[in-house]
Amino acid sequence: MTILRKIICTLFSEFRNRGVYITIIMYLSHLIGVLRGFFYKSIYYKNIKSSIFSLQTKSRIEIFNKNSILNIGKFVFIRKNASIRIDFNGEINIGDNVFINDNCNINCVNRITIGRNTKIAPNVCINDHDHNYKKASKDHLIRGEVSIGENVWIGSNVVILRDTFIGDNAVIAAGSVVKGNVPENTLFLNKRENRSVVLKKSDKVVNIK
């Protein structure tokens, strides 16, 4: 009864703040996203392990190997035109309450982990591998790992490269290219024309030239 009461109170609050029509449209969109999530889970029933998650319009999941695994936690919300691709023995783990915004790309051939309550802004690209352009071996890929901690905020247009480890509660500034270790509770800024910096959240952010 408590859960039902909470749902009713939430709906009435949304009706007051957003309007009845807009609230209905919004929740209809959420319902369609949940149904799309179930659709992809039914297609890749051996590869996807999840509870309820939302996959909005034009977002897609592509799994190219029977050994690939996608673990999705509770109440994950993936907005429009996002792409998740897994190949080889790749494994992606997405924690509870993760939010992935529009036009994000996640490409995995080994391991990518995104911790609980992490929020990812639009146009973010995450790769756990590089192309082996030197062709030193028969494998055309150089495989690594990406680990993103809990309660991390990743700004718009960020690129996260292989062998990157981001600690809990970190903030990645918009437009950054990230590779290596980002300590927890820090703010990471990087521009391609400048050197990268890691600051504590309590520090004042300054322009670097």
Side-chain angles (χ1 to χ4, degrees):
M1 192 66 180
T2 304
I3 296 175
L4 179 60
R5 184 181 303 165
K6 185 176 180 181
I7 292 172
I8 292 172
C9 290
T10 300
L11 283 174
F12 274 101
S13 176
E14 295 285 6
F15 288 156
R16 286 194 300 270
N17 295 328
R18 301 178 187 272
V20 174
Y21 177 74
I22 296 298
T23 300
I24 291 172
I25 294 297
M26 182 181 72
Y27 278 95
L28 180 61
S29 174
H30 291 341
L31 176 60
I32 292 171
V34 169
L35 293 175
R36 293 186 82 249
F38 277 119
F39 172 73
Y40 276 93
K41 185 175 179 179
S42 66
I43 292 176
Y44 299 113
Y45 65 94
K46 291 185 178 180
N47 306 90
I48 297 178
K49 299 177 182 179
S50 70
S51 56
I52 295 175
F53 71 99
S54 178
L55 190 72
Q56 295 285 292
T57 306
K58 294 185 180 180
S59 289
R60 61 194 183 278
I61 297 170
E62 297 174 309
I63 298 176
F64 299 113
N65 194 294
K66 64 180 181 180
N67 297 319
S68 300
I69 296 294
L70 174 58
N71 295 311
I72 303 179
K74 299 176 183 177
F75 307 118
V76 169
F77 191 90
I78 303 170
R79 292 200 67 181
K80 297 178 181 179
N81 203 36
S83 173
I84 298 175
R85 295 188 182 95
I86 318 174
D87 202 350
F88 302 101
N89 294 316
E91 179 177 331
I92 297 178
N93 299 295
I94 302 176
D96 298 343
N97 302 310
V98 167
F99 177 82
I100 300 174
N101 217 316
D102 299 331
N103 305 312
C104 290
N105 292 286
I106 301 174
N107 301 297
C108 175
V109 299
N110 186 41
R111 181 182 293 271
I112 294 175
T113 301
I114 302 173
R116 294 181 303 171
N117 303 313
T118 286
K119 305 293 185 271
I120 301 177
N123 306 310
V124 170
C125 185
I126 303 173
N127 292 285
D128 69 350
H129 60 281
D130 289 325
H131 288 284
N132 188 7
Y133 65 92
K134 293 182 179 179
K135 298 182 180 179
S137 67
K138 292 182 180 179
D139 193 346
H140 69 289
L141 297 176
I142 303 172
R143 303 160 200 267
E145 182 177 351
V146 172
S147 178
I148 300 169
E150 298 182 0
N151 196 39
V152 173
W153 169 249
I154 299 174
S156 299
N157 302 304
V158 167
V159 177
I160 299 177
L161 304 174
R162 67 176 175 89
D163 295 331
T164 294
F165 303 89
I166 300 173
D168 296 344
N169 308 308
V171 175
I172 309 300
S176 296
V177 179
V178 191
K179 183 176 175 63
N181 295 317
V182 178
E184 61 183 15
N185 300 306
T186 56
L187 171 61
F188 179 93
L189 301 91
N190 171 277
K191 293 185 178 181
R192 295 183 184 182
E193 68 273 16
N194 298 327
R195 61 187 178 91
S196 60
V197 204
V198 176
L199 301 174
K200 293 182 180 178
K201 282 186 176 178
S202 58
D203 292 342
K204 183 179 179 181
V205 179
V206 295
N207 293 325
I208 296 169
K209 297 182 179 179

